[in-house]
Amino acid sequence: MRLDSRRLRWAGAAGLLAGYAADQVLGDPRRGHPVAVFGSFASSVQQRMYADDRARGAAFTATLVGAAAGLGLAADRVTARQPLARWVVTAVATWAVLGGRSLTREADILHAQLADGDLPAARRQVRNLVGRDPSQLDAQELARATIESVAENTSDAVVAPLMWGAIAGVPGLLGYRAANTLDAMVGHKTPRLRRFGWAAARFDDVLNYLPARVSGALAAALAPAFGARPREVVRVVRRDAGKHPSPNAGVVEAAFAGVLGVRLGGANVYEGEVEDRGTLGDGPPPAVADIHRASRLSSAVGLAAVGLAAAGLAAAGRRARRRA
């Protein structure tokens, strides 16, 4: 039994690496993406369960996250004595929940549009990344919006799923992505969703608490490759992260600001309302060229994260072998 456990952990580690590689090579399919299918299903459930009530929203969140995690648990049980099958299932699940390649691809498209001076195209394109109103944003503000989204989603769409995959296997991968998707769907503080989406938003905050700080730490560790000092990045995070309304996004955005030597944050417009998200970093406002640097930093953090996650599972496998 212990030998099976060791082999399954090694298969899980290899599956995380293979799924990460698949995401980097293939990205997200344009049609039929598993996350999009889940989102459509969640929308139909929401229509049936919606009420302007926190308890109903909590039931909605628990039902859908539980279903996703339960599917992962069933896959784990089916492959409990089949390391090769566990590797395949983990690889497919990891590819399905990661969004690193699509994130950097969107950033690269925006970089090219802004470099060409095509503001109308960039304002349309940035809607794929942010929820703020881009209609009046200039090139500098579009660059800021892009970099902030790249920073936050490096944690949400890359580091966090990898960490939960290392901690809880396929159930962790699928359960995390379900929770994060529900937060994106109903976690916004609109009058209609303020109560119903409360549970989804808070649960997502809990799940992302540690991954956001790991993302910030990895960005700080990689700072020398971008001409910055880790100590300065840590100083910026400690000073500025709390200014952001999100307990997790502020950490990652402040870390990226420190590494890139730019100033992020400020006032954003959401559905006609202005929200001040604080000022993060000491440098000048980001330039268009900084988008490419942010994309490179995101890729580097993702690569470090998958190495860390796989190493953690492999180490657990070695401990199981010594106990056998």
Side-chain angles (χ1 to χ4, degrees), residues 21-260:
D23 175 64
Q24 291 298 304
V25 173
L26 303 174
D28 294 336
R30 295 186 178 183
R31 295 182 180 179
H33 192 286
V35 175
V37 173
F38 172 81
S40 297
F41 175 69
S43 293
S44 66
V45 175
Q46 180 187 347
Q47 292 175 4
R48 293 174 173 83
M49 293 188 67
Y50 174 80
D52 188 18
D53 179 75
R54 283 187 176 185
R56 187 69 67 88
F60 167 76
T61 300
T63 297
L64 288 170
V65 174
L71 179 62
L73 183 60
D76 268 2
R77 288 181 176 177
V78 168
T79 60
R81 294 182 178 277
Q82 304 175 61
L84 179 59
R86 175 65 61 85
W87 172 76
V88 172
V89 169
T90 303
V92 171
T94 302
W95 164 77
V97 304
L98 291 183
R101 181 67 189 96
S102 294
L103 177 63
T104 55
R105 182 182 295 153
E106 290 288 340
D108 291 343
I109 291 172
L110 275 154
H111 177 267
Q113 291 169 337
L114 291 173
D116 290 341
D118 193 348
L119 280 180
R123 287 169 178 158
R124 291 191 297 270
Q125 190 72 31
V126 81
R127 292 182 184 275
N128 293 335
L129 292 176
V130 301
R132 71 194 69 173
D133 179 7
S135 60
Q136 302 302 315
L137 299 185
D138 60 16
Q140 189 176 83
E141 284 296 302
L142 286 166
R144 175 171 76 86
T146 302
I147 293 170
E148 288 170 357
S149 179
V150 167
E152 180 178 1
N153 284 291
T154 296
S155 178
D156 288 1
V158 183
V159 178
L162 288 170
M163 284 191 62
W164 283 107
I167 292 169
V170 177
L173 289 165
L174 300 187
Y176 169 78
R177 178 48 66 200
N180 189 246
T181 302
L182 294 181
D183 176 54
M185 290 176 60
V186 303
H188 302 293
K189 294 180 179 180
T190 62
R192 182 176 184 274
L193 295 173
R194 193 178 303 276
R195 293 184 181 85
F196 184 78
W198 179 87
R202 297 292 77 77
F203 189 49
D204 184 73
D205 285 343
V206 171
L207 292 181
N208 278 292
Y209 185 86
L210 183 59
R213 283 143 186 85
V214 171
S215 299
L218 291 176
L222 292 163
F226 294 83
R229 292 185 296 176
R231 181 178 299 178
E232 285 300 303
V233 177
V234 173
R235 181 185 66 82
V236 169
V237 171
R238 287 178 173 174
R239 185 193 68 196
D240 295 340
K243 300 176 184 177
H244 197 286
S246 167
N248 300 320
V251 174
V252 192
E253 290 182 23
F256 270 58
V259 173
L260 300 175

